[in-house]
Amino acid sequence: MADLDRRSLITLAAATPALAAATDPPDPSETVRLWPGSPPSAPAVLPKQEIVDRVATSGFRDRFVTGVGAPLMTVFRPVRPNGAAALIIPGGGYIRVVIDKEGFELAHRLTAAGVTSFVLRYRLPKEGWANAADAPLADAQQAMRILRARSTDFRIDPKRVLAIGFSAGGHVAASLAVRSDGDARPDLSALVYPVISMSRPHAHIGSREALLGASPGPEREAAYSPHLHVTAQAPPTFLVHAADDASVPLENSLAYLAALRAQKVPAEAHVFEEGGHGFGLRLIRGKPGERWPELLMAWAARRGWLA
């Protein structure tokens, strides 16, 4: 591994914040709206944003967003950018966007390693959009196009853009990988306990209902199951899942991995015995799976992301 890669990994490890830290780092002030004016297929009255912090029950800053009428990216710029970029797509079951646990915390760690990071706040299907099932993906595609169009401003290499998604955000990221062309397709993909299948018995029912309604037919389920649409053009992919995930079964990641292998797309998967669902960075500490960000960085470095 190149010296830069080793330095980045060392910096990443050192950047891990203490669980009992008295204060959290401030949020960046820079955001980028994805659409001029109202987003496509907007309702007559846009959803009103609400941010809720579950700190009282979580014990740490744990915000989620609903009412996403103005989808955007929060920009995390490193002091010494190395040209790599990450579009981070949080989960939330398609009914909320979990911005800290599966967004800002990872962005701070990646930015400390020189990676310019962008946390996506995407539209939620049940908030009145005419193209409800396609709205989250359309926002992710638009975000990718903006990153590449403004690569000079962001000081990133437009050929070194990683998209990483968690849970329902993993479904967005997988859809981005297999349903996008040109500037909207990421160079690398990372999926962390992703929702993949929209069909029983392995579908995450909450995400499926929020995205497709209570009773989608088999054709609609298949249309929105990314593993059924993998081609040889899909980006190399890194997968992380816990075997004891009771919310999104491991079979989701395994199905996507099998589809990638069938198309001879490079892929690496890490299945940890324990961890449950929604662990992000913070809730996996003290377990073997806590090293997954380092494993991701090492994998991405081998693929030239940190060149």
Side-chain angles (χ1 to χ4, degrees), residues 33 55 128:
R33 287 185 60 150
V55 63

Side-chain angles (χ1 to χ4, degrees), residues 125-219:
K126 298 180 73 173
E127 293 187 339
W129 309 99
N131 64 336
D134 293 320
L137 173 59
D139 288 345
Q141 291 171 328
Q142 179 73 349
M144 290 293 299
R145 295 187 187 104
I146 291 172
L147 294 190
R148 291 196 167 110
R150 294 182 54 186
S151 59
T152 300
D153 170 30
F154 293 131
R155 299 178 68 185
I156 62 173
D157 182 342
K159 296 182 179 180
R160 289 195 281 142
V161 181
L162 164 77
I164 176 169
F166 297 78
S167 193
H171 185 266
V172 178
S175 301
L176 183 66
V178 302
R179 295 177 55 193
S180 304
D181 296 310
D183 286 347
R185 179 186 291 151
D187 301 295
L188 296 174
S189 181
L191 309 177
V192 185
Y193 40 83
V195 171
I196 296 293
S197 177
M198 287 287 130
S199 302
R200 294 179 186 272
H202 302 311
H204 179 249
I205 300 304
S207 294
R208 186 184 72 161
E209 290 186 358
L211 190 70
L212 302 179
S215 302
E219 290 186 3

Side-chain angles (χ1 to χ4, degrees), residues 24-35:
D24 290 296
D27 295 341
S29 59
E30 183 180 3
T31 60
V32 177
R33 287 185 60 150
L34 301 184
W35 307 98

